[in-house]
């Protein structure tokens, strides 16, 4: 039997109604998405793109208007589908009357964990997220970063096969972010699938095996960081030694004697290299300037604003 | 069962760490103790008046706590978004609701035991050890609190605490006037009012069924038919209200 995807969304659509007149607002427009088991999947997009809506539907916090979704092959609406899933919501809120230790015991019991097994896991996690020294402090006295770490710990309490994290780096200082990144990489090594929604694209670029770009409730691109970035190469910086003046397309960076540095559009490179060579010139350097994930997302947003729908 | 107990014990712990609960309890204990002094300034059977005031205080403050905690039970989870990390666990929403209900019923049981113990001590010192009917009346009060909490929970699962308080209070007051509503329907000549009073009588809870305080105060035995009738009514009605509340909650989107 083949392994089911960790997450599969089929034609997922969500329409909200707001105000007295119940004016409809489309949150998701037929989202199709597949997250493979064992990968770190980055889910990115601008504010209001529908990332949190998708997560809320997957976590049964909201129902889809149309379409369906599965978690590890099980219908996401069934409580049973959550037994191997860990979830950290955006800006997590916890019971302030509990201490970090009580909180983890509580969430562990919700997964039917008990006794020595639960106790061991709680202490392991408090250690892992660096909250051991604050385990007896009520959460109301926790800083934002400490709450976030407590949130990560509760998401890991059941040794999940799938970890769904909505903005896990939010509120963390650089040390906290490194800690979370390390945890995510450890989890991946353990075989856990990580579904990571984040605005911090640098972190996603660094961690994710594949990335999905969500804009206006639609998936505007999905692939490895390499694929997404390559497909949107910014420009190519070239250096030539040319005997005579040549009228080349693109932007001249510098011209010192017979040494010319020119910035070219990717589609012009081949033609320009041919012209330089046939004019008796020498190609010294060709450096493609890659876009960052941020550039890719920005480009997709601009395309979307122009009405260019995939 | 472990999951249900986890939610119930968390609800219980949250309530008993709430200082407002202690303020209400402290106030109730104060009224209970002060009721003793009433016998000094009462003409007639002062002892009966003391018992009546003390029983009334227990009833009033218990209902107050059930209302105060019940109306915020689900709403607070939604407002503070603590429900996000519960509903995303392998927990059906009805189980969550039942856990919250069980937790609050635990708080009410402890509260009733504390006030009951205080009543027993005070009345034993001033008069004599209360008869069995007093303890049965508290069991019946507990059934009433169970039904009131179920209603508060239902309102709490779809409206704000203010609205839920208003509706729960309305149900509580009307529920105590149920017999009067039925009597009004029997005495009126207007057919529409007759039907309306009948519908209200059968639809809304009859909280007076659980009121055995007067019998207990007067030292009368509570007939077993009355007790078991109230028990069946209380459990049955509370179950129906909780099922509706679970249905409402299970169809809700958490924004």
């Amino acid at each position: 039997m083949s392994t089911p995807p960790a997450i599969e969304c089929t034609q997922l659509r969500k329409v909200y109604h707001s105000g007295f007149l119940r004016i409809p607002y489309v949150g998701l427009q037929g989202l199709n998405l597949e997250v493979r088991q064992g990968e770190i999947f980055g889910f990115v997009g601008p504010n209001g793109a529908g990332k949190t809506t998708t997560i809320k539907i997957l976590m049964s916090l909201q129902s889809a208007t149309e379409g369906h979704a599965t978690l590890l092959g099980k219908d996401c609406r069934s409580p049973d589908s959550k037994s191997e899933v860990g979830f950290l919501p955006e800006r997590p809120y916890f019971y302030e009357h509990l201490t970090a230790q009580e909180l983890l015991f509580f969430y562990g019991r919700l997964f039917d964990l008990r006794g020595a097994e639960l106790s061991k896991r709680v202490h392991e996690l408090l250690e892992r997220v660096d909250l051991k020294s604050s385990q007896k402090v009520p959460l109301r006295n926790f800083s934002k970063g400490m709450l976030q770490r407590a949130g990560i710990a509760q998401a890991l309490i059941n040794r999940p096969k799938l970890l769904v994290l909505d903005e896990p780096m939010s509120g963390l200082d650089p040390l906290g972010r490194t800690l979370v990144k390390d945890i995510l990489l450890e989890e991946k090594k353990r075989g856990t699938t990580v579904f990571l929604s984040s605005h911090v694209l640098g972190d996603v670029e660094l961690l994710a095996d594949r990335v999905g770009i969500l804009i206006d409730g639609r998936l505007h691109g999905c692939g490895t960081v390499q694929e997404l970035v390559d497909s949107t190469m910014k420009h190519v910086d070239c250096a030539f030694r040319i005997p005579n003046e040549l009228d080349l397309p693109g932007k001249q960076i510098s011209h010192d004697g017979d040494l010319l540095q020119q910035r070219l559009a990717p589609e012009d490179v081949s033609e320009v290299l041919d012209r330089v060579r046939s004019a008796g010139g020498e190609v010294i350097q060709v450096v493609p300037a890659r876009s960052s994930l941020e550039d890719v997302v920005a480009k997709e947003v601009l395309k979307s604003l122009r009405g260019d729908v995939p | 069962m472990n999951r249900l107990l986890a939610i119930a014990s968390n609800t219980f712990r949250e309530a008993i760490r709430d200082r407002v609960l202690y303020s209400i309890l402290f106030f109730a204990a104060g009224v209970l103790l002060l009721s003793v002094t009433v016998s000094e300034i009462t003409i007639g059977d002062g002892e009966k008046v003391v018992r009546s005031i003390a029983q009334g205080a227990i009833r009033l403050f218990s209902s107050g706590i059930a209302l105060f905690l019940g109306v915020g039970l689900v709403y607070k989870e939604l407002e503070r978004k603590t429900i996000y990390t519960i509903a995303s666990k392998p927990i059906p929403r009805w189980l969550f609701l039942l856990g919250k209900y069980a937790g609050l019923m635990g708080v009410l049981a402890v509260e009733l035991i504390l006030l009951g113990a205080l009543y027993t001590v005070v009345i034993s010192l001033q008069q004599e050890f209360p008869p069995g009917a007093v303890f049965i009346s508290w069991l019946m009060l507990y059934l009433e609190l169970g039904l009131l909490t179920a209603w508060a929970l239902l309102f709490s699962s779809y409206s704000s605490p203010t609205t839920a308080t208003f509706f729960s209070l309305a149900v509580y007051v009307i529920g105590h006037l149920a017999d009067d509503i039925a009597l009004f329907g029997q005495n009126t000549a207007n057919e529409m009012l007759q039907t309306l009073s009948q519908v209200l009588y059968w639809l809304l809870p009859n909280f007076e069924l659980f009121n055995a305080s007067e019998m207990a105060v007067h030292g009368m035995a509570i007939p077993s038919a009355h007790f078991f009738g109230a028990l069946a009514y209380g459990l049955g009605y509370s179950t129906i209200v909780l099922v509706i509340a679970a249905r409402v909650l299970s169809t809700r989107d958490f924004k």
Side-chain angles (χ1 to χ4, degrees):
Chain A
M1 210 174 90
S2 64
T3 320
I7 296 175
E8 188 172 31
C9 300
T10 312
Q11 285 297 313
L12 212 56
R13 190 173 144 81
K14 179 69 183 174
V15 181
Y16 295 105
H17 293 92
S18 64
F20 181 71
L21 297 174
R22 314 250 320 133
I23 297 162
Y25 163 76
V26 181
L28 284 180
Q29 313 194 45
L31 174 69
N32 291 309
L33 179 71
E34 188 181 307
V35 177
R36 297 167 199 149
Q37 287 204 34
E39 69 178 350
I40 297 186
F41 188 90
F43 199 44
V44 301
N47 288 335
K51 302 189 296 291
T52 299
T53 298
T54 308
I55 290 177
K56 281 184 176 173
I57 291 172
L58 291 173
M59 291 297 113
S60 307
L61 301 174
Q62 293 188 357
S63 54
T65 310
E66 282 170 35
H68 76 274
T70 59
L71 298 172
L72 299 163
K74 292 176 186 162
D75 188 330
C76 75
R77 291 170 300 178
S78 89
D80 186 42
S81 68
K82 312 297 182 309
S83 52
E84 293 179 306
V85 178
F87 171 51
L88 173 73
E90 188 181 6
R91 288 191 297 272
Y93 298 85
F94 299 115
Y95 297 101
E96 294 183 335
H97 65 279
L98 297 178
T99 64
Q101 192 188 56
E102 288 169 342
L103 182 89
L104 294 187
F105 271 104
F106 170 62
Y107 284 113
R109 288 177 70 195
L110 295 185
F111 283 105
D112 221 7
L113 300 173
R114 56 184 91 194
E117 183 199 6
L118 175 58
S119 192
K120 187 173 166 246
R121 184 68 181 149
V122 167
H123 290 104
E124 230 173 64
L125 284 171
L126 284 169
E127 194 104 44
R128 188 67 198 90
V129 298
D130 208 9
L131 286 177
K132 193 86 178 165
S133 56
S134 324
Q135 61 178 328
K136 303 270 186 201
V137 178
L139 296 179
R140 70 170 67 90
N141 299 327
F142 268 31
S143 68
K144 208 176 159 193
M146 287 164 86
L147 277 178
Q148 193 76 2
R149 280 184 278 144
I152 301 270
Q154 67 80 31
L156 293 169
I157 191 80
N158 58 328
R159 291 195 170 84
K161 275 190 178 172
L162 167 64
L163 202 49
V164 177
L165 309 171
D166 197 359
E167 300 293 346
M169 308 295 182
S170 161
L172 293 173
D173 58 20
L175 273 178
R177 281 166 67 165
T178 308
L179 180 92
V180 172
K181 279 184 218 167
D182 288 348
I183 290 175
L184 296 188
L185 291 172
E186 266 172 35
E187 283 300 312
K188 179 183 154 61
K189 212 178 279 176
R190 211 173 62 80
T192 311
T193 310
V194 181
F195 185 75
L196 173 72
S197 164
S198 180
H199 280 114
V200 189
L201 299 180
D203 289 338
V204 175
E205 199 165 351
L206 194 74
L207 293 166
D209 299 307
R210 288 197 310 138
V211 176
I213 303 169
L214 191 72
I215 297 165
D216 282 340
R218 281 197 183 94
L219 203 60
H220 274 241
C222 187
T224 63
V225 174
Q226 190 74 38
E227 283 165 0
L228 289 171
V229 160
D230 278 353
S231 67
T232 59
M233 194 191 294
K234 259 181 174 174
H235 52 254
V236 181
D237 287 335
C238 300
F240 310 112
R241 202 174 292 282
I242 45 170
N244 307 306
E245 283 295 318
L246 266 177
D247 185 23
L248 298 175
K251 189 180 161 193
Q252 195 178 82
I253 301 168
S254 68
H255 193 177
D256 185 12
D258 61 349
L259 191 68
L260 173 71
Q261 286 197 334
Q262 190 83 2
R263 177 161 294 171
L264 302 173
E267 59 273 19
D268 294 335
V269 175
S270 168
E271 183 210 329
V272 170
L273 296 187
D274 286 347
R275 281 181 58 195
V276 168
R277 283 189 191 112
S278 52
E282 183 190 350
V283 178
I284 299 171
Q285 198 176 45
V286 178
V287 182
R290 284 182 49 191
S291 315
S292 65
L293 189 57
E294 204 155 329
D295 295 320
V296 178
V297 173
K299 194 174 164 188
E300 289 298 331
V301 171
L302 282 173
K303 267 164 70 179
S304 160
L305 286 174
R306 286 197 303 264
D308 191 356
V309 173
Chain B
M1 197 61 179
N2 190 28
R3 295 169 188 187
L4 178 74
L5 283 177
I7 297 169
S9 59
N10 185 51
T11 307
F12 182 84
R13 190 156 35 187
E14 185 174 18
I16 60 164
R17 287 181 187 178
D18 191 337
R19 285 182 197 145
V20 180
L21 179 72
Y22 293 102
S23 311
I24 300 175
L25 267 178
F26 184 74
F27 200 62
V31 173
L32 254 170
L33 290 170
L34 280 174
S35 65
V36 179
T37 61
V38 176
S39 66
E40 305 296 322
I41 52 167
T42 308
I43 303 163
D45 192 347
E47 290 186 348
K48 206 177 279 177
V49 174
V50 170
R51 292 201 297 270
S52 186
I53 291 177
Q55 280 272 27
I58 292 178
R59 177 168 288 276
L60 182 73
F61 286 106
S62 303
S63 305
I65 291 173
L67 260 178
F68 170 76
L69 295 178
V71 293
L73 218 51
V74 174
Y75 183 83
K76 266 199 310 200
E77 297 269 357
L78 299 176
E79 195 188 43
R80 294 180 191 165
K81 296 182 180 171
T82 41
I83 198 151
Y84 282 19
T85 45
I86 311 269
S88 54
K89 304 281 185 282
I91 305 281
R93 291 193 188 175
W94 64 264
L95 190 75
F96 166 74
L97 196 90
L98 196 61
K100 299 295 289 180
Y101 180 75
L104 184 48
M105 289 313 291
V107 175
L108 290 170
V110 169
E111 174 266 342
L112 210 50
I113 288 168
L114 286 176
L115 290 183
L118 187 62
Y119 175 96
T120 308
V121 170
V122 168
I123 298 298
S124 298
L125 288 175
Q126 201 216 15
Q127 302 167 24
E128 55 181 10
F129 190 78
V134 169
F135 300 99
I136 295 174
S137 76
W138 290 337
L139 270 180
M140 290 172 72
L141 171 61
Y142 190 62
L143 289 170
E144 179 180 337
L145 296 177
L147 182 51
L148 180 60
T149 304
W151 273 98
L153 205 60
L154 168 63
F155 293 130
S156 169
S157 57
Y158 73 87
S159 60
S160 72
T162 317
T163 319
T165 307
F166 176 76
F167 284 137
S168 305
L169 210 56
V171 166
Y172 183 69
V173 172
I174 296 170
H176 274 289
L177 298 173
D179 290 334
D180 296 318
I181 291 171
L183 197 66
F184 172 76
Q186 284 161 16
N187 291 336
T188 183
N190 186 325
E191 271 187 32
M192 204 181 79
L193 282 177
Q194 269 179 11
T195 314
L196 184 70
S197 61
Q198 270 194 347
V199 168
L200 278 176
Y201 181 77
W202 287 110
L203 205 65
L204 291 168
N206 185 351
F207 284 123
E208 276 304 303
L209 266 183
F210 306 104
N211 191 355
S213 300
E214 280 309 298
M215 281 189 259
V217 165
H218 289 86
M220 294 156 66
I222 298 168
S224 56
H226 184 172
F227 172 73
F228 285 110
L231 180 71
Y233 180 80
L235 293 179
Y237 203 139
S238 300
T239 306
I240 292 169
V241 178
L242 285 175
V243 167
I244 297 170
R247 181 81 199 124
V248 169
L249 194 67
S250 63
T251 52
R252 252 196 99 153
D253 269 1
F254 301 138
K255 297 281 160 62

